[in-house]
Amino acid sequence: KVMISSITSGMLIYDKLKQSQELKKLIKDRIYPILPQQKTEYPFLTFTKETGYGIYTKDMLAYDEVTYSFTVWANTYSETC
């Protein structure tokens, strides 16, 4: 596990997705947290934080446990594979 805050995790995920050459071939730079821009060209990817909660010790926050979901949006099913 990597110990980062839940806020930082979204930025880290976005940066990692943007660096992927395989993903870039499929969706270019169309990666959006939560919602895309209006009239976004297909295909594109969105990611959303589903859950996030802190794990505490007696004295302080030890780490955040965060879950994300990823959705690929496309005109046809074959574009999502």
Side-chain angles (χ1 to χ4, degrees), residues 66-78:
V66 182
T67 304
Y68 283 87
S69 66
F70 299 84
T71 306
V72 175
W73 302 79
N75 286 317
T76 63
Y77 179 75
S78 63

Side-chain angles (χ1 to χ4, degrees), residues 28-39:
K28 300 183 176 134
D29 286 329
R30 295 186 296 264
I31 300 168
Y32 305 98
I34 307 172
L35 295 172
Q37 300 170 6
Q38 287 187 346
K39 299 183 182 181

Side-chain angles (χ1 to χ4, degrees), residues 10-44:
M11 294 185 296
L12 179 65
I13 288 170
Y14 180 81
D15 289 343
K16 291 291 183 185
L17 292 171
K18 284 281 195 181
Q19 292 173 13
S20 169
Q21 294 304 311
E22 293 83 14
L23 199 53
K24 195 169 279 202
K25 289 177 192 174
L26 300 171
I27 62 171
K28 300 183 176 134
D29 286 329
R30 295 186 296 264
I31 300 168
Y32 305 98
I34 307 172
L35 295 172
Q37 300 170 6
Q38 287 187 346
K39 299 183 182 181
T40 296
E41 182 182 337
Y42 290 102
F44 61 87

